């Protein structure tokens, strides 16, 4: 009897002890979830994830640097490959295997629309550069002239062919799924493909206008993760529970500083600042223009004598870089928030598993797409000189 009193409340059988341990572990887990102020750095499981993510990041940065060094055409090819992988991930997001088996060839229709859109967009962006590349008086020159002249008609014909293909393949009891896939395909083309295509336009305006915005997004993403990992306590937004105010603020400060410094470094290389007028692969040389010519400023007298520099040189483009850095740190992350909400709506963790520790290609390109559009619009609105010639005015009057 005395023995029973001492064991009151304790499990007496192996099964009971197992249940007791399970309940205890669940209680500890719930308590840890309630502790919202706990630093991620104290979570040992995060170190393994951080190491995998760091390895993938180094590999991506190295590959990216090599492609950038190779020049405009190689960067464009990289963007095209990324777009294809993104389309593949997003097409698979709403794919249903049972319905697909009843609709042979339906997936091919999605890719038909995708490559038609690619032909139209890149044809508009690169047609003048293709014209500048070919040699006049040859068969290839005549072919290019014809393709440029009838480019829009060719793309429209391909789209109408796809539209008719879709109508002719409609199947009873599958209408809802087929129209849903049709709408989903066009949303991918508008929201994803069209935005990311601005990247190619930036490339040919000068690698600088592609590389700097893309690098700022990478820096912002890396330091948001690092600052949040070591200092993050305060949740930033419910759509992304792992995002913290500490990570957001730390990444914003780092991105602004990086924008100002990197613009000074990148702006001194003509192969980055010169626009590409054709589709050749040679090194570029050009007049850098006033934006990339250094201006010298003498430091004020209150600077200590031991300071090694008496004057500093600043490129005017560095002030534009601050605007890009501000957008990359404050606005562009909302592309990531949009993607997070999208994944929550479809109950998926990542868009894919192409990159260990990061998810899919789309998971890494969400902010890049928003940034590419802004960089192009900013460059065309505030950087490119707007000159109106007499011929242009007369053409408008005659019209």
């Amino acid at each position: 009897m005395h023995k029973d009193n001492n064991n009151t409340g304790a499990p007496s059988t192996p099964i009971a002890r197992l249940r007791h341990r399970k309940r205890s572990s669940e209680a500890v887990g719930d308590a840890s979830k309630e502790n919202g102020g706990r630093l991620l750095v104290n979570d040992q499981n995060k170190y393994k994830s951080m190491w995998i993510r760091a390895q993938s990041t180094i590999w991506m940065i190295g590959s990216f640097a090599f492609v950038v060094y190779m020049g405009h055409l190689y960067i464009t090819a990289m963007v095209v490959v990324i777009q294809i992988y993104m389309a593949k991930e997003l097409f698979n997001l709403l794919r249903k295997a049972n319905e697909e088996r009843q609709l042979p060839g339906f997936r091919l229709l999605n890719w038909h629309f995708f490559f038609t859109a690619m032909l139209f967009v890149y044809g508009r962006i690169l047609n003048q550069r293709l014209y500048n590349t070919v040699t006049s008086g040859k068969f290839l020159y005549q072919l290019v002239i014809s393709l440029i002249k009838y480019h829009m008609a060719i793309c429209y014909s391909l789209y109408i062919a796809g539209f008719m293909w879709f109508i002719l393949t409609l199947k009873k009891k599958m209408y809802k799924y087929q129209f849903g896939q049709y709408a989903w395909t066009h949303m991918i083309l508008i929201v994803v493909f069209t935005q990311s295509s601005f990247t190619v336009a930036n490339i040919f305006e000068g690698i600088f206008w592609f590389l700097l915005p893309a690098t700022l997004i990478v820096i912002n993403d890396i330091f948001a993760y690092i600052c949040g990992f070591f200092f993050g306590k305060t949740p930033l937004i419910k759509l992304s529970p792992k995002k913290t105010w500490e990570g957001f603020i730390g990444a914003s400060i780092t991105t602004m500083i990086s924008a100002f410094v990197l613009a000074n470094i990148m702006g001194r290389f003509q192969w980055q600042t010169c626009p590409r007028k054709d589709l050749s692969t040679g090194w570029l040389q050009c007049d850098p223009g006033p934006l990339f010519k250094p201006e010298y400023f003498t430091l004020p007298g209150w600077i200590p004598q031991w300071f090694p520099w008496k004057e500093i040189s600043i490129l005017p483009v560095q002030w534009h870089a601050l605007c890009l850095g501000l957008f990359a740190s404050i606005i562009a992350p909302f592309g990531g928030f949009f993607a997070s909400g999208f994944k929550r709506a479809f109950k998926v963790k990542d868009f894919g598993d192409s990159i260990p520790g990061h998810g899919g290609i789309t998971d890494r390109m969400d902010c890049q797409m928003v940034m590419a559009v802004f960089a192009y619009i900013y460059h065309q609105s505030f950087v490119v000189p707007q000159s109106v010639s007499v011929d242009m005015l007369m053409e408008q009057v005659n019209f």
Side-chain angles (χ1 to χ4, degrees):
M1 185 72 179
H2 180 70
K3 181 178 180 180
D4 294 339
N5 290 336
N6 289 338
N7 293 323
T8 301
S12 58
T13 65
I15 296 177
R17 285 195 295 271
L18 180 62
R19 290 175 178 171
H20 179 74
R21 285 197 298 269
K22 185 176 180 181
R23 286 195 300 270
S24 300
S25 63
E26 289 175 350
V28 172
D30 293 338
S32 64
K33 287 182 180 179
E34 293 175 359
N35 186 13
R38 187 166 57 92
L39 291 174
L40 286 176
V41 70
N42 296 327
D43 188 350
Q44 298 299 322
N45 293 329
K46 292 294 180 180
Y47 281 103
K48 182 178 180 181
S49 174
M50 185 181 185
W51 174 240
I52 295 173
R53 188 183 179 100
Q55 288 179 307
S56 300
T57 300
I58 293 172
W59 177 84
M60 286 190 295
I61 292 176
S63 303
F64 178 75
F66 174 76
V67 172
V68 169
Y69 176 78
M70 295 300 293
H72 299 73
L73 286 183
Y74 292 89
I75 302 173
T76 303
M78 178 189 68
V79 172
V80 171
V81 171
I82 289 174
Q83 288 177 327
I84 292 173
Y85 270 95
M86 290 174 63
K88 180 182 177 182
E89 291 174 354
L90 293 172
F91 283 150
N92 290 335
L93 191 62
L94 294 186
R95 185 179 182 181
K96 296 181 180 179
N98 185 44
E99 282 79 354
E100 292 288 334
R101 283 194 293 268
Q102 301 180 46
L103 298 168
F106 190 73
R107 184 60 51 188
L108 186 62
L109 178 60
N110 292 340
W111 287 109
H112 172 83
F113 284 121
F114 177 82
F115 285 110
T116 299
M118 181 176 288
L119 177 63
F120 176 76
V121 172
Y122 286 142
R124 301 285 289 182
I125 294 174
L126 303 177
N127 58 3
Q128 185 60 44
R129 294 173 176 87
L130 181 60
Y131 174 80
N132 295 337
T133 303
V134 297
T135 305
S136 61
K138 294 185 178 181
F139 170 76
L140 182 60
Y141 177 80
Q142 298 299 326
L143 178 62
V144 167
I145 293 299
S146 299
L147 289 176
I148 293 175
K149 180 178 180 180
Y150 300 109
H151 167 256
M152 189 174 293
I154 293 172
C155 293
Y156 181 73
S157 299
L158 289 172
Y159 180 82
I160 289 298
F163 176 75
M164 295 173 62
W165 180 2
F166 170 75
I167 298 298
L168 294 174
T169 55
L170 286 174
K171 193 173 182 179
K172 192 175 182 180
K173 297 183 180 180
M174 302 293 293
Y175 295 153
K176 185 176 181 180
Y177 177 77
Q178 288 179 280
F179 276 100
Q181 288 291 311
Y182 183 82
W184 176 239
T185 300
H186 283 70
M187 196 201 82
I188 292 173
L189 298 181
I190 295 172
V191 177
V192 177
F193 177 76
T194 304
Q195 287 192 89
S196 57
S197 296
F198 280 91
T199 304
V200 176
N202 293 334
I203 293 169
F204 285 91
E205 293 293 341
I207 293 179
F208 177 92
W209 298 106
F210 156 76
L211 184 58
L212 180 63
T215 304
L216 293 180
I217 292 296
V218 173
I219 291 173
N220 186 264
D221 184 59
I222 291 174
F223 280 92
Y225 181 78
I226 292 175
C227 295
F229 185 90
F230 287 102
F231 310 109
K233 291 183 179 181
T234 312
L236 175 63
I237 187 170
K238 291 182 179 180
L239 286 174
S240 297
K242 294 182 181 180
K243 299 291 194 315
T244 62
W245 274 105
E246 291 79 6
F248 183 79
I249 295 172
S252 298
I253 295 173
T254 306
T255 303
M256 292 293 293
I257 297 173
S258 300
F260 195 76
V261 174
L262 288 176
N264 189 289
I265 297 172
M266 295 179 183
R268 298 179 184 273
F269 297 95
Q270 289 190 16
W271 67 274
Q272 292 193 33
T273 59
C274 295
R276 173 69 74 180
K277 301 298 184 182
D278 54 26
L279 300 180
S280 60
T281 57
W283 288 88
L284 289 172
Q285 289 185 347
C286 64
D287 180 8
L291 280 179
F292 298 100
K293 292 181 179 178
E295 298 177 349
Y296 295 92
F297 298 90
T298 303
L299 295 178
W302 52 264
I303 299 295
Q305 293 296 325
W306 52 263
F307 194 72
W309 297 285
K310 302 304 179 183
E311 64 177 13
I312 58 173
S313 65
I314 294 179
L315 303 181
V317 76
Q318 289 180 253
W319 307 116
H320 292 289
L322 288 177
C323 296
L324 296 176
L326 185 65
F327 187 91
S329 57
I330 304 297
I331 308 299
F334 279 83
F337 301 152
F338 176 85
S340 297
F342 196 86
K343 288 183 285 188
R344 283 179 171 269
F346 290 95
K347 296 180 174 60
V348 294
K349 183 177 182 295
D350 296 309
F351 286 106
D353 55 0
S354 306
I355 311 172
H358 291 266
I361 297 292
T362 310
D363 294 285
R364 293 275 59 84
M365 293 300 297
D366 43 18
C367 300
Q368 292 284 4
M369 292 185 296
V370 178
M371 189 68 196
V373 177
F374 174 76
Y376 178 80
I377 293 175
Y378 183 89
H379 179 265
Q380 296 297 317
S381 302
F382 302 106
V383 177
V384 175
Q386 302 295 329
S387 58
V388 180
S389 64
V390 176
D391 292 337
M392 292 175 60
L393 291 175
M394 293 301 297
E395 183 178 349
Q396 293 294 327
V397 171
N398 293 333
F399 178 78

